[in-house]
Amino acid sequence: FLVENRPKVVIDNTLDLTPEDYRKAAFATGIPFRPNGLFPPNDTLLTKLSTDPMYFPFMKHVPCERPHDFVVAPGCWASGDSAAKAGLDVRHFYRFPRNGCDHGELHGAVRAGEGAAICLHGYTTAHGGSIETILDECTAEIAKCEFAPTATTINFKVNLKKPFPLHRTCRILCKIKSISSNKLRIVTTGEIYDAEDDTLLVTCEAELVDIARISANTQEMQNKMKSNGAVNRWNGM
């Protein structure tokens, strides 16, 4: 059974949110300066993404008390300046669908610092969990931009093909693979490449659900069953 742990007003406001709402709020914020950022000045990939008008910089947002609006996720351990301080600096950029494509893409840049290693000063590569966190966030963000702002990961599989270097810029690409006919589930894919030699380091596939739509369907079914005097055991999936 799906349980929400947010204020009721926020839950209520998620029921009619759209990907367009999410993109509007996220693009308006962009990516503010990060005091704890891990990218060096004039980083080649980050400069390219930041200056190309085809790419829209944005940060992770979450629904708030205001209808059809979002706020930057505060104190998130997986994104933003707090994550950079801990050792993961991920920058998201959205690209609208190319000609002949149905969906946009998430392009990004990431650097892993000492905090992402297996142990401090003991390794020169990132911990597998750190790498998985990067793609878990990025595959969810493209789902929120294209599918549903309340997309929530339920399955995630990753293939670590090469060691992931610390203090080296890497390139992220996430795409939409499929959306279910009932619009409740989405499958996304993600890849990370070494930005210097384009070596493929990691691939993943994530399955997400629209938690707001499922919750609404569950509540509707509960109400119908209660009105018929039935005991509800349906979980909306």
Side-chain angles (χ1 to χ4, degrees):
F1 184 76
L2 298 167
V3 178
E4 295 281 4
N5 60 358
R6 297 169 296 164
K8 185 176 184 302
V9 63
V10 175
I11 296 174
D12 291 342
N13 284 343
T14 65
L15 299 180
D16 59 352
L17 292 173
T18 67
E20 291 77 16
D21 291 332
Y22 187 76
R23 294 197 300 264
K24 179 180 178 180
F27 294 174
T29 301
I31 304 178
F33 172 72
R34 293 182 181 173
N36 296 292
L38 301 177
F39 287 85
N42 303 315
D43 179 86
T44 301
L45 176 60
L46 189 56
T47 299
K48 176 184 176 181
L49 293 171
S50 300
T51 56
D52 191 326
M54 291 190 300
Y55 299 104
F56 293 81
F58 72 99
M59 291 179 60
K60 177 179 183 175
H61 281 57
V62 293
C64 62
E65 289 82 0
R66 299 184 301 273
H68 293 280
D69 202 3
F70 302 81
V71 294
V72 174
C76 180
W77 74 276
S79 67
D81 190 58
S82 57
K85 184 177 181 179
L88 283 181
D89 192 354
V90 184
R91 313 293 177 106
H92 304 139
F93 294 81
Y94 176 83
R95 177 168 179 166
F96 280 96
R98 306 166 190 258
N99 290 336
C101 296
D102 295 328
H103 303 289
E105 301 170 342
L106 183 146
H107 294 250
V110 60
R111 285 178 75 94
E114 294 288 345
I118 295 174
C119 69
L120 190 63
H121 305 309
Y123 291 80
T124 59
T125 57
H127 189 288
S130 300
I131 303 166
E132 292 165 5
T133 295
I134 296 167
L135 285 175
D136 184 25
E137 282 292 296
C138 292
T139 51
E141 286 304 307
I142 188 59
K144 289 157 69 177
C145 285
E146 285 286 312
F147 169 65
T150 52
T152 303
T153 305
I154 59 170
N155 285 307
F156 184 83
K157 57 183 179 181
V158 62
N159 187 350
L160 305 175
K161 293 179 172 293
K162 299 283 185 179
F164 195 101
L166 301 181
H167 309 298
R168 188 178 177 101
T169 300
C170 295
R171 177 174 64 87
I172 303 167
L173 175 61
C174 294
K175 298 180 179 181
I176 306 300
K177 181 178 180 180
S178 64
I179 298 177
S180 64
S181 58
N182 62 5
K183 307 299 183 183
L184 293 180
R185 296 172 182 258
I186 183 173
V187 177
T188 61
T189 62
E191 300 168 340
I192 303 180
Y193 299 81
D194 187 306
E196 291 189 17
D197 59 18
D198 218 32
T199 298
L200 179 60
L201 304 175
V202 193
T203 64
C204 80
E205 184 171 292
E207 181 183 10
L208 305 93
V209 297
D210 183 351
I211 193 73
R213 186 187 291 265
I214 289 176
S215 296
N217 288 353
T218 301
Q219 186 61 53
E220 181 181 359
M221 183 60 70
Q222 286 177 334
N223 293 338
K224 288 181 179 179
M225 296 181 76
K226 285 179 181 179
S227 67
N228 293 330
V231 177
N232 176 36
R233 293 185 180 277
W234 182 70
N235 69 0
M237 302 292 282

